[in-house]
Amino acid sequence: MGAACGPEMIVDPDAVRAAVLAARDQGRRVGFVPTMGALHAGHVSLVDRAAAECDDVVVSIFVNPTQFAPQEDFTRYPRTPDADRTALAGCRVRWLFAPRADDIYPPGWCTRISMDGPASRFEGEHRPGHFSGVATVVCRLFMAVPADRAYFGAKDWQQTLVVRRMIRDLGVPIGIVVCPTVREPDGLAMSSRNVYLAPADRRRATALWEALGIAARSWDAGHVPGAIERSMRGHLESRGIAVDYAAIVDAESLGPVEPAAPAVALVAGRVGGTRLIDNLQLPARSMRNE
Ligand code: PAF
C-alpha cells in the first residue's frame, strides 16, 4: 500500500494517530521511521527494513528545533522536501507525516524530558540539551505514531541508547530496531550533514572511518582501551580534525569497558566547519591482556 502513487501526506498528529490505530485494529503491523528529512541511502535502508518487517510504514519528517543549541545549524539544516518525496517514491511507505512546529510544540508548550544515564557523556557533554530535545520529540512523535516498531540507525549509537532508555523509563509501548550504518564507498557514514563538507574536507572526513578501523584492529589484537583511544585521536589529529572525543566504552552503558561484554568505539570531531560523529561496534573479548 502506498507504493504506486507515493505515500499519503499527513500534517496533523491526530490524523496520523487515527490512521495508525485503525491499521493496527485491522491486525496490521505498523513500522515507523522518524527522520529530519534530507533523506539519503541510510534513511532508505531504515524504510526498507521497516517495509520488510511491517505491513504499513510511516516516515516522519520534522527538523526538530529543540535538539539544536542556539549556535548550531538548525536554520541551515538541509530541507529538501521534493527530493525526499522522490527518495521515498520507490519505497513501500503508506504515510508521510510532516507536522508543522506548532503541531509538535503547541503554543504555550513548556514540557521537556530531562535525561541522565546514556545521555550524560559524549554528545551530551558536547551538545548540552541535545538529548533532552531528542527524547522530547521522539516521545511526542511516538504519541502521534503509535506504531509497533520504530527504526533508528546505528550511526547515532548514543541516540539509540537514549531512545531505548526513554521508552523503558516512561513505559512507551513500542519496539526499537537498530539498523546498520550505511557508508559511502570510502567508508564515510551517510549523514544529512555531509552536504556541508567542502571537497577537501570531504576527503579528510574519511579519517573517522580510518580511526574506527584502527580501533577494530587494535581491539582484536588485545590492546587496552586507553592505548586504542590514543591511536584513534592521533590519527584524527594527524588529518587535521579537531577531536571532540575518541573513546572505547561499554556498548550499552557507555561507561568503562566491561570484561567479556561488547564495546563500542565512538569518534566525533570537526572537519573544517562541519561536526561529524561515527562509531563501530567491537565484539566482546576476554580481558586477559588488559
Ligand atoms: O536521528 C534523527 O534524525 C533525529 O534525531 C530524530 C530521531 C528524527 C529526532 O528528531
Side-chain angles (χ1 to χ4, degrees), residues 29-202:
R29 177 183 282 175
V30 178
F32 177 33
V33 183
T35 81
M36 297 205 300
L39 301 180
H40 51 66
H43 296 113
V44 171
S45 77
L46 304 181
V47 174
D48 286 345
R49 174 84 174 265
E53 295 182 355
C54 301
D55 300 303
D56 294 317
V57 177
V58 189
V59 174
S60 68
I61 294 181
F62 179 65
V63 185
N64 172 38
T66 65
Q67 68 190 75
F68 294 80
Q71 78 284 4
E72 290 184 347
D73 57 340
F74 173 68
T75 48
R76 73 176 184 126
Y77 193 85
R79 289 160 173 86
T80 58
D82 294 338
D84 290 347
R85 286 184 76 87
T86 304
L88 294 178
C91 304
R92 198 170 55 74
V93 176
R94 184 165 180 189
W95 298 290
L96 176 56
F97 174 44
R100 296 164 303 225
D102 277 5
D103 297 316
I104 296 297
Y105 300 115
W109 162 81
C110 62
T111 303
R112 257 188 106 114
I113 294 175
S114 155
M115 283 189 74
D116 297 318
S120 303
R121 301 183 65 195
F122 304 115
E123 291 304 283
E125 280 169 353
H126 289 274
R127 302 184 66 189
H130 170 66
F131 283 130
S132 167
V134 169
T136 302
V137 80
V138 171
C139 186
R140 178 73 189 94
L141 291 169
F142 285 172
M143 296 295 136
V145 183
D148 294 271
R149 294 178 181 179
Y151 294 79
F152 291 85
K155 147 95 173 28
D156 295 299
W157 179 250
Q158 193 175 5
Q159 171 172 276
T160 69
L161 299 177
V162 164
V163 170
R164 281 165 46 203
R165 181 66 67 86
M166 182 274 289
I167 64 157
R168 190 200 77 175
D169 289 356
L170 298 182
V172 182
I174 193 164
I176 301 298
V177 182
V178 178
C179 303
T181 301
V182 177
R183 298 183 179 281
E184 301 284 359
D186 64 5
L188 179 66
M190 298 256 179
S191 164
S192 302
R193 289 189 168 98
N194 290 352
V195 297
Y196 298 154
L197 292 164
D201 292 335
R202 169 65 188 81

Side-chain angles (χ1 to χ4, degrees), residues 224-290:
V224 296
I228 304 175
E229 290 170 351
R230 285 191 291 281
S231 300
M232 289 196 296
R233 180 176 284 272
H235 182 73
L236 292 165
E237 289 177 348
S238 76
R239 298 288 303 274
I241 292 175
V243 180
D244 280 348
Y245 54 80
I248 306 289
V249 288
D250 180 79
E252 291 299 312
S253 69
L254 302 188
V257 169
E258 300 284 345
V264 63
L266 302 171
V267 287
R270 286 193 178 278
V271 189
T274 305
R275 187 171 183 279
L276 298 176
I277 65 172
D278 202 350
N279 69 81
L280 187 69
Q281 301 294 312
L282 303 171
R285 68 177 190 183
S286 148
M287 299 290 280
R288 66 182 178 283
N289 296 324
E290 317 237 317

